[in-house]
Amino acid sequence: KAGVTQTPRYLIKTRGQQVTLSCSPISGHRSVSWYQQTPGQGLQFLFEYFSETQRNKGNFPGRFSGRQFSNSRSEMNVSTLELGDSALYLCASSRLAPPQETQYFGPGTRLLVL
Amino acid sequence: KQEVTQIPAALSVPEGENLVLNCSFTDSAIYNLQWFRQDPGKGLTSLLLIQSSQREQTSGRLNASLDKSSGRSTLYIAASQPGDSATYLCAVRRGKTSGSRLTFGEGTQLTVNP
């Protein structure tokens, strides 16, 4: 069974631009969560989707948004990029909505904002 | 607000040594606790998941314990190998009714020297 897939794996953008990251969960998984990882802040929760509904959102500005499609694939968008948005963005999927079972993480998308 | 602390931040040991990584959390109202491994530039791999009602979980050379009342968990690695070199992260999930996010510690960077 294929794991969680994230595209693109690497991305370079400039300040003020916007970016869209994609996450394809493991087949049969309906829950997708997103996390941001930076050297200074560590891993921080962005949002969680289950069956196309956002169930939970972390403490990030409105520039960060996401959605989930009917096939459970998820996208997150960051508008008006800032230097501080440079990070590894990880998504995780699980069959059921957390916290009922283990989440499986993808390899991440590394975003560099110049 | 839940805070998770991992000690030590870095650890270097010779191959074959048994070692213990520590994780502490401030709010004992957790649903479960998970240990992850992260290799440089990669995503997270789940190692062990302990439900709040459990005291420990074992997988191969790994054993994780949980003392919810004192807010502590340990990850014991037996007979360490160079392939165990990675960053180990613990994460706690709050009660079922209060959201589904994982709160991560900063991690322990482990180096096992041949």
Side-chain angles (χ1 to χ4, degrees):
Chain A
K1 192 183 247 188
V4 178
T5 306
Q6 291 187 246
T7 57
R9 292 293 313 279
Y10 304 93
L11 206 49
I12 299 176
K13 291 286 188 179
T14 56
R15 278 182 299 174
Q17 287 187 310
Q18 76 166 26
V19 67
T20 299
L21 311 182
S22 179
C23 172
S24 294
I26 293 172
S27 177
H29 285 196
R30 295 165 60 193
S31 171
V32 173
S33 297
W34 289 88
Y35 291 84
Q36 181 197 63
Q37 186 176 32
T38 60
Q41 299 295 320
L43 273 152
Q44 293 187 293
F45 173 78
L46 280 157
F47 19 66
E48 181 227 326
Y49 290 89
F50 182 77
S51 294
E52 301 179 68
T53 301
Q54 186 180 88
R55 284 172 27 111
N56 209 349
K57 190 176 190 302
N59 296 324
F60 278 82
R63 301 185 295 108
F64 291 81
S65 63
R67 58 179 175 169
Q68 186 180 34
F69 302 96
S70 57
N71 62 358
S72 295
R73 190 178 69 87
S74 178
E75 288 181 348
M76 65 163 281
N77 184 77
V78 187
S79 62
T80 319
L81 284 166
E82 300 177 0
L83 295 179
D85 297 333
S86 295
L88 180 67
Y89 290 87
L90 295 164
C91 87
S93 77
S94 59
R95 190 171 54 90
L96 303 174
Q100 296 178 64
E101 57 180 43
T102 301
Q103 289 181 301
Y104 297 88
F105 280 78
T109 293
R110 187 165 296 280
L111 171 65
L112 177 62
V113 182
L114 301 175
Chain B
K1 180 189 170 189
Q2 178 74 273
E3 292 183 3
V4 180
T5 305
Q6 291 187 245
I7 294 173
L11 183 62
S12 181
V13 301
E15 182 176 3
E17 193 161 298
N18 302 325
L19 57 101
V20 174
L21 307 181
N22 296 291
C23 171
S24 61
F25 45 95
T26 55
D27 185 351
S28 62
I30 65 168
Y31 190 80
N32 57 39
L33 181 145
Q34 221 168 331
W35 282 93
F36 293 90
R37 166 188 173 137
Q38 185 174 32
D39 293 282
K42 302 286 181 65
L44 276 61
T45 300
S46 179
L47 298 173
L48 290 164
L49 171 70
I50 310 177
Q51 301 294 350
S52 61
S53 58
Q54 298 176 316
R55 296 287 299 205
E56 66 179 293
Q57 281 285 343
T58 298
S59 176
R61 295 182 294 108
L62 305 179
N63 176 278
S65 68
L66 173 64
D67 184 343
K68 209 173 81 159
S69 61
S70 67
R72 294 184 181 186
S73 176
T74 61
L75 179 66
Y76 175 82
I77 302 177
S80 58
Q81 303 170 357
D84 294 331
S85 297
T87 296
Y88 290 79
L89 295 145
C90 80
V92 298
R93 199 181 293 280
R94 292 186 66 189
K96 203 172 182 177
T97 58
S98 55
S100 58
R101 70 189 68 184
L102 285 167
T103 301
F104 285 86
E106 291 290 331
T108 293
Q109 187 172 358
L110 172 66
T111 303
V112 181
N113 301 300

